[in-house]
Structures are given as structure tokens and as C-alpha cells.
Amino acid sequence: AGSIGGSNILGFEIQNNRTLRGMVNGGYSNTTGCPISSGTVPLKVWTHCALVLNSGTWTIYLNGSADGTGTGSYPSGTNHSTAYVGRVFYDDGRDADMVVSDLRITSDAQYTTTFTPPTAPLSSSGAGFHIKGTDASVVDKSQNANLTLIGTTQGSSVAKFGSYGISIPTGASGIEIPQADVQFGLTDFSIETWVKFDAITNSGTGSDQYIIS
């Protein structure tokens, strides 16, 4: 989420070299203060990814291991837009080709050290946003947000837990979250999800793809 035109962005993305980046300090070309993973995300494999803000320090966790930190300060005076899963908020060309499962946002630092990734769906209790992807429906299980599915986003038989995942293919797809329903990034918070990237492709300008922005 952020201001229109690509400045003051808050997002969690996979870069074209398959490292993870928390975009936390200005526009997409500004990496100052951004946590960037040293490890890479494999294609076609379920990977647990988390971005945590804890007492001013951002940490990326890749399959439970702390793998990149930063101290960038997300600007609080921006004109916030709608948030999106699977694409950047201002450019539907920067969309992902992925399946997600158990994507949850909480208003606390869920992880402060290395952890074992969840082996079952997370609880929705206390979450600000939670799409489990354990059945064919794509809804916010925290009951805080009314979602809009964009393009060909849908339940998928490619599943991490249960019988379904959430397929967000490339081609102007994604999940729209009203910004009024989800506020994140100004105090301690966590984003975590299981994700399976099918390919790193991009139909717009730039080559990074977004788990959420």
C-alpha cells in the first residue's frame, strides 16, 4: 500500500533474482533501510515467507530462518491506497504467478527469532486479515475485510493445507483489500504466508512481483 505513482510504498515482494524484499522506505527504486533476504525462493515449491516489524527493525524470515533485516521507516503521512495480494497497488502489470495459502496479517511481532514454520493452518483469532485457502472460497477469515477478486484469481486444487490453495496467475489478477479494513506498517506487525511461485514473469515495467502491497 502507499501513495499513487509508486512513491512511499509498503510491500512484500519477490525480486527478479528470487530474493525477498520488504519495501518499506519510499519508492520501489529506493532500497535504503529495506530488509532483503540473502536466500532465494525456489520455484514450484511451497515456501513460508514472513515480514515482521519489531521495535523499529524489519526482519524477513524464509522458512522460519531470519534472513534479512532493515530499519527503514515507513512514511506515516502518505495517501494510502487500497491494498492488494498478488500485485502492486498502482500497476496491474506487476502481478505475481503464484498460489498462496494461509496469508495472515497481525498487529504484533509474531516472530522475533528462528521458528519452525506452521504445519497446520493458523488461527484467525486476533488477526487483522487472514485468508486460509483451505477451501474453495476466498474470504477474510478474520471477518474484517470485504475482498474483491481480480482477473482469474480463484481457489486452486494446488494446496498446502486441506484441498485448496488460492491461485493468483499472471495477467492483471489479485485480491483487493479495502485500505480502511487493513492498516499495517506503522507499529509492530507481521505478514506471513505460504507461497508457491510458478514463474517469475512480468507483463509490465519492472520485474519484481508482489505477495502483498
Side-chain angles (χ1 to χ4, degrees):
S3 58
I4 302 303
S7 61
N8 294 333
I9 299 170
L10 175 61
F12 192 21
E13 63 170 349
I14 184 170
Q15 303 189 110
N16 62 347
N17 63 359
R18 293 190 286 114
T19 58
L20 293 172
R21 174 188 174 190
M23 190 176 293
V24 300
N25 198 26
Y28 58 82
S29 61
N30 182 10
T31 59
T32 303
C34 292
I36 299 174
S37 70
S38 56
T40 57
V41 177
L43 297 180
K44 303 183 184 301
V45 174
W46 283 107
T47 303
H48 190 267
C49 305
L51 174 64
V52 177
L53 176 60
N54 180 31
S55 300
T57 297
W58 302 84
T59 303
I60 287 175
Y61 292 91
L62 186 57
N63 283 327
S65 295
D67 198 45
T69 62
T71 55
S73 177
Y74 178 60
S76 60
T78 60
N79 177 25
H80 295 288
S81 73
T82 298
Y84 291 89
V85 176
R87 51 161 284 194
V88 70
F89 67 93
Y90 64 89
D91 181 357
D92 62 12
R94 298 188 183 191
D95 52 359
D97 188 2
M98 67 182 187
V99 183
V100 298
S101 179
D102 220 22
L103 192 158
R104 186 177 71 168
I105 299 173
T106 58
S107 57
D108 59 1
Q110 285 285 309
Y111 307 111
T112 58
T113 188
T114 296
F115 62 93
T116 300
T119 57
L122 297 165
S123 170
S124 300
S125 177
F129 176 73
H130 190 197
I131 48 176
K132 285 192 175 184
T134 53
D135 53 46
S137 62
V138 183
V139 297
D140 177 15
K141 297 294 188 179
S142 74
Q143 301 183 7
N144 289 318
N146 296 310
L147 309 181
T148 301
L149 305 188
I150 303 168
T152 54
T153 299
Q154 61 184 342
S156 167
S157 60
V158 179
K160 175 62 182 177
F161 302 119
S163 300
Y164 290 91
I166 301 167
S167 172
I168 306 177
T170 190
S173 296
I175 301 172
E176 180 181 309
I177 313 167
Q179 184 66 23
D181 291 337
V182 178
Q183 297 291 331
F184 55 90
L186 304 182
T187 59
D188 286 3
F189 88 115
S190 303
I191 299 172
E192 64 177 303
T193 188
W194 285 98
V195 63
K196 186 176 184 180
F197 286 99
D198 287 332
I200 304 301
T201 59
N202 198 298
S203 57
T205 57
S207 52
D208 299 345
Q209 295 179 48
Y210 291 77
I211 297 171
I212 190 168
S213 75

PDB file of all heavy atoms in Angstrom, residues 1 25 47 57 200:
ATOM      1  N   ALA A   1       0.849  -1.181   0.000  1.00  0.00           N
ATOM      2  CA  ALA A   1       0.000   0.000   0.000  1.00  0.00           C
ATOM      3  C   ALA A   1       0.885   1.232   0.000  1.00  0.00           C
ATOM      4  O   ALA A   1       2.051   1.174   0.354  1.00  0.00           O
ATOM      5  CB  ALA A   1      -0.908   0.005   1.222  1.00  0.00           C
ATOM      6  N   ASN A  25      10.603   1.870   2.584  1.00  0.00           N
ATOM      7  CA  ASN A  25      11.220   3.181   2.762  1.00  0.00           C
ATOM      8  C   ASN A  25      11.197   3.984   1.474  1.00  0.00           C
ATOM      9  O   ASN A  25      12.218   4.229   0.857  1.00  0.00           O
ATOM     10  CB  ASN A  25      12.667   3.025   3.256  1.00  0.00           C
ATOM     11  CG  ASN A  25      13.206   4.308   3.877  1.00  0.00           C
ATOM     12  OD1 ASN A  25      12.428   5.115   4.366  1.00  0.00           O
ATOM     13  ND2 ASN A  25      14.499   4.475   3.862  1.00  0.00           N
ATOM     14  N   THR A  47       6.857 -22.402   0.079  1.00  0.00           N
ATOM     15  CA  THR A  47       7.850 -21.709   0.904  1.00  0.00           C
ATOM     16  C   THR A  47       7.130 -20.808   1.893  1.00  0.00           C
ATOM     17  O   THR A  47       6.191 -20.090   1.521  1.00  0.00           O
ATOM     18  CB  THR A  47       8.784 -20.858   0.021  1.00  0.00           C
ATOM     19  OG1 THR A  47       9.406 -21.687  -0.964  1.00  0.00           O
ATOM     20  CG2 THR A  47       9.864 -20.195   0.867  1.00  0.00           C
ATOM     21  N   THR A  57      12.712  -2.531  13.846  1.00  0.00           N
ATOM     22  CA  THR A  57      13.541  -3.357  12.968  1.00  0.00           C
ATOM     23  C   THR A  57      12.661  -4.301  12.160  1.00  0.00           C
ATOM     24  O   THR A  57      11.834  -5.018  12.715  1.00  0.00           O
ATOM     25  CB  THR A  57      14.568  -4.178  13.767  1.00  0.00           C
ATOM     26  OG1 THR A  57      15.456  -3.290  14.439  1.00  0.00           O
ATOM     27  CG2 THR A  57      15.378  -5.084  12.845  1.00  0.00           C
ATOM     28  N   ILE A 200       8.718 -16.434 -12.388  1.00  0.00           N
ATOM     29  CA  ILE A 200       8.975 -15.019 -12.157  1.00  0.00           C
ATOM     30  C   ILE A 200       8.864 -14.345 -13.512  1.00  0.00           C
ATOM     31  O   ILE A 200       9.783 -14.338 -14.318  1.00  0.00           O
ATOM     32  CB  ILE A 200      10.370 -14.779 -11.543  1.00  0.00           C
ATOM     33  CG1 ILE A 200      10.509 -15.592 -10.258  1.00  0.00           C
ATOM     34  CG2 ILE A 200      10.584 -13.293 -11.260  1.00  0.00           C
ATOM     35  CD1 ILE A 200       9.498 -15.275  -9.191  1.00  0.00           C
TER      36      ILE A 200
END
